[in-house]
Amino acid sequence: MRDTRESRLLLVLLVAIAFALITVDIRSGDQSPLDSARRGAATVFGPVQDGVAGAVDPVGNAVSAVRDSGKRHDRISALERENAELKHQLGSDDRNRARARELDKLLKTAASGQYGVKGAQVISIGAAQGFSWTITIDAGSRDGIKKDMTVLNGDGLVGRITTVGPGTSTVLLATDPDFTVGTRLEKSSELGFANGRGDNWLTVQLLNAKAKVKKGDRMVTFGSSNDRPFVPGVPVGEVMQVTPFDGDLTRTVRVKPYAGFSKLDIVGVVMEGPRKDPRDTVLPDPPKKKPTPTVTVTVTPGAEDEDGEPPADDGSENAGPGPDDGQGD
């Protein structure tokens, strides 16, 4: 249709009629004269609308699913992050509690030996195969650390400082083959030298080849001149094996160190040695021996034997003198 004056007038007329019908429909409410027409249109166009909706709904649902899946994925990711954070917090709490226990043990050991210590954390460990057994701690020259200082933890001797940087230091562990420390046996005070073996054991050579030593005996550090590199009295380990005396000038024993070198975390660098040699006082109290249980059997007089009969009288009690009892006529 061409855009003429008549077509424009027709369009205006149709719009006016549409507004009039809408006004009548709204004002009439439920009694609208257009209800019959609306129901007829619904009857005619309803199936067509349902068919179109059935064809279009899967596409719309798919689009909605894709859109909602992004939201669900974001929510799942948020929950996973929250769970990971909670696990991290729980792990951190456990680790903090473990560190608190280690620090408490370290302070008790330092107090027992009257050592002035600087606490430090192990931040790395050296290779155990083909290299020195070392650890790196997060304390250095800025903290007053110097070369040849004793390093210990709450259990006992760890090693000595070998290299010092501004903020870190290297510790040679007692298990290194190049490590040597003077030792003193508990009670007997027999002296010796402990050497690392490259594993989790120490070999101690006692200066007295005839020294009385047995499995379970304990030893501490003997100490060095001016407490460098070792202060006295630090627990070293426990004797696990003694070699028989074979005429040598020294006697060798195998010692299990108190410190667990595979799980070092909190250590202390001895900044000030004790005023007096603590000797064996830093060692923990030995475990008390459990008493051996004893069994007491009580026999009741007149009790029956296993056959239900009273015990037989052997004539040894309340018996008169026999003919050969050695008494006079």
Side-chain angles (χ1 to χ4, degrees):
M1 180 184 292
R2 291 181 298 175
D3 186 11
T4 61
R5 183 178 180 182
E6 291 80 3
S7 62
R8 286 195 296 270
L9 289 175
L10 180 59
L11 178 61
V12 172
L13 180 60
L14 292 175
V15 171
I17 293 172
F19 274 108
L21 293 174
I22 292 173
T23 302
V24 171
D25 184 50
I26 292 174
R27 289 183 177 182
S28 300
D30 295 338
Q31 303 298 326
S32 175
L34 299 178
D35 282 346
S36 59
R38 186 182 295 113
R39 288 194 294 269
T43 302
V44 174
F45 296 106
V48 178
Q49 184 180 7
D50 291 340
V52 173
V56 174
D57 279 348
V59 179
N61 292 336
V63 174
S64 299
V66 172
R67 182 174 61 251
D68 294 341
S69 66
K71 295 180 180 179
R72 287 194 295 269
H73 182 271
D74 294 341
R75 179 57 180 164
I76 292 173
S77 299
L79 291 174
E80 289 176 348
R81 287 194 299 269
E82 291 176 3
N83 290 336
E85 184 176 356
L86 288 174
K87 290 180 181 179
H88 177 71
Q89 291 177 357
L90 291 175
S92 298
D93 290 342
D94 292 341
R95 187 177 183 185
N96 289 335
R97 283 192 290 269
R99 286 183 173 180
R101 289 192 295 268
E102 288 295 320
L103 182 59
D104 185 60
K105 288 173 59 178
L106 172 62
L107 294 178
K108 288 181 179 179
T109 299
S112 298
Q114 297 183 349
Y115 308 127
V117 299
K118 170 69 178 179
Q121 179 182 346
V122 177
I123 57 177
S124 67
I125 186 169
Q129 300 294 333
F131 301 92
S132 298
W133 285 61
T134 60
I135 57 173
T136 302
I137 59 176
D138 62 350
S141 57
R142 289 196 295 259
D143 304 289
I145 307 297
K146 297 180 181 179
K147 185 179 178 180
D148 286 337
M149 284 184 167
T150 307
V151 181
L152 50 79
N153 66 0
D155 297 318
L157 180 66
V158 172
R160 62 180 175 87
I161 299 291
T162 56
T163 306
V164 181
T168 61
S169 301
T170 301
V171 179
L172 183 68
L173 299 179
T175 51
D176 187 89
D178 292 332
F179 186 92
T180 302
V181 59
T183 61
R184 183 198 300 272
L185 270 176
E186 181 185 15
K187 297 180 181 178
S188 69
S189 297
E190 293 285 355
L191 302 181
F193 290 95
N195 297 277
R197 295 163 34 100
D199 53 19
N200 292 322
W201 297 88
L202 301 176
T203 297
V204 178
Q205 288 186 324
L206 299 176
L207 300 183
N208 182 5
K210 298 181 180 180
K212 294 182 179 180
V213 57
K214 63 183 183 300
K215 181 178 179 180
D217 286 349
R218 304 183 298 177
M219 58 184 59
V220 298
T221 56
F222 177 69
S224 307
S225 176
N226 298 322
D227 297 331
R228 301 277 291 273
F230 301 108
V231 295
V234 179
V236 175
E238 181 177 329
V239 175
M240 300 301 294
Q241 184 180 11
V242 181
T243 58
F245 175 68
D246 56 2
D248 291 341
L249 297 178
T250 61
R251 193 171 191 182
T252 303
V253 296
R254 190 181 184 188
V255 173
K256 180 180 180 181
Y258 287 122
F261 296 96
S262 62
K263 52 182 180 180
L264 293 173
D265 188 11
I266 302 297
V267 298
V269 182
V270 180
M271 311 293 291
E272 183 179 356
R275 295 181 180 179
K276 183 181 179 181
D277 187 347
R279 298 181 73 87
D280 304 335
T281 59
V282 185
L283 286 169
D285 294 333
K288 296 182 180 180
K289 295 182 179 180
K290 295 182 179 180
T292 303
T294 57
V295 179
T296 302
V297 179
T298 303
V299 179
T300 304
E304 296 180 350
D305 59 12
E306 295 180 355
D307 298 331
E309 299 292 336
D313 186 3
D314 57 2
S316 60
E317 293 183 3
N318 300 323
D324 298 327
D325 59 358
Q327 296 186 8
D329 296 333

